[in-house]
Amino acid sequence: MNTRLGITVGLMLLIAGPVTAEVYRNVDAQGNVTFSDEPSKGAEKVKVKPVTTITLPKPQNVQETEKLREDVEREGSIYESVSLTYPENEQAFHSGNGDVQFEMSSSPALAPGHKYEVTLDGQPVGQSTSGSVTVRNVFRGTHEAGIHIVDRNGVQIKTGSPVRFTIHRPSVQN
C-alpha cells in the first residue's frame, strides 16, 4: 500500500512540475519503476506531451457592462463568419485512439491578437491561431463542437454555428 501511495504522490508531483523539466524513468532489479527529474544509471528519458492551455477571460473583463458589449460588437464585426470545416455537421467517423483534429476558418483571416477557440460539449478544449486544434482521447458517442474567435483577453467576440459529430472507437471488451 505504501509503495502505491509513494508512486501516486510521485506521479502527482511529476505532473505538477514545470513543463520544461526533463523526466527520467528507471526500472530496478526487482521491476520497480521510479520517475525522477535527475538522470541515473540505466534511466531512460521520458518524452512528456505538451499541455493544452486555454486563455480564460479575467473576471474584470467579462463583467456585463455596456462598454464590454460595445467592444465585443466592434471587434467581432470585422469578421463576416467563423466556422468549423472539419468535422462536418452530422459526420460519423472512426478514431481508434479518440484523437480528433478540428479544422476551422474565418472570413477574413484572424486579426493580430485573436485566436480560434474550440469547445467540445460546452467546454473549451483548445485555442489556436493556425486554424487547427487536436483534441486527444475523445470518448465514443455523439458530441457537439463549437467555434469562437476570442480576443487577447480571452473574451469571445464572434461565434460560429456548432456541429454535431459521432466518433466510433473500439471497445476494450472486443
Side-chain angles (χ1 to χ4, degrees):
M1 179 75 174
N2 287 339
T3 304
R4 268 190 168 165
L5 180 61
I7 290 173
T8 302
V9 170
L11 287 174
M12 289 174 65
L13 290 173
L14 180 69
I15 292 170
V19 174
T20 59
E22 294 180 344
V23 178
Y24 299 92
R25 178 181 181 265
N26 193 7
V27 181
D28 66 15
Q30 291 77 33
N32 297 319
V33 179
T34 56
F35 293 90
S36 175
D37 61 348
E38 297 179 14
S40 62
K41 185 177 180 182
E44 63 183 45
K45 190 173 180 180
V46 177
K47 184 177 180 182
V48 180
K49 293 181 182 178
V51 177
T52 301
T53 59
I54 297 172
T55 305
L56 294 176
K58 295 180 177 126
Q60 63 267 25
N61 291 334
V62 294
Q63 295 173 350
E64 288 298 321
T65 65
E66 196 60 40
K67 182 184 179 319
L68 176 63
R69 274 182 275 220
E70 290 171 5
D71 290 348
V72 167
E73 286 178 19
R74 181 180 39 77
E75 284 190 71
S77 68
I78 66 171
Y79 297 102
E80 293 174 23
S81 66
V82 59
S83 62
L84 285 165
T85 56
Y86 185 85
E88 295 176 9
N89 196 32
E90 301 300 333
Q91 182 177 1
F93 55 90
H94 292 274
S95 177
N97 58 7
D99 292 355
V100 178
Q101 183 166 345
F102 293 93
E103 301 288 333
M104 65 281 306
S105 66
S106 63
S107 177
L110 284 180
H114 292 175
K115 294 179 185 178
Y116 295 112
E117 178 180 76
V118 176
T119 60
L120 186 61
D121 301 324
Q123 299 299 313
V125 292
Q127 291 180 341
S128 170
T129 57
S130 70
S132 176
V133 171
T134 300
V135 179
R136 308 228 180 266
N137 199 24
V138 178
F139 294 122
R140 72 169 53 88
T142 302
H143 301 276
E144 183 172 280
I147 182 67
H148 311 280
I149 296 177
V150 296
D151 66 10
R152 63 178 39 94
N153 294 318
V155 176
Q156 296 176 358
I157 59 171
K158 185 74 172 180
T159 298
S161 297
V163 298
R164 287 175 44 93
F165 66 94
T166 302
I167 187 167
H168 300 282
R169 292 183 66 180
S171 170
V172 293
Q173 297 174 351
N174 292 336

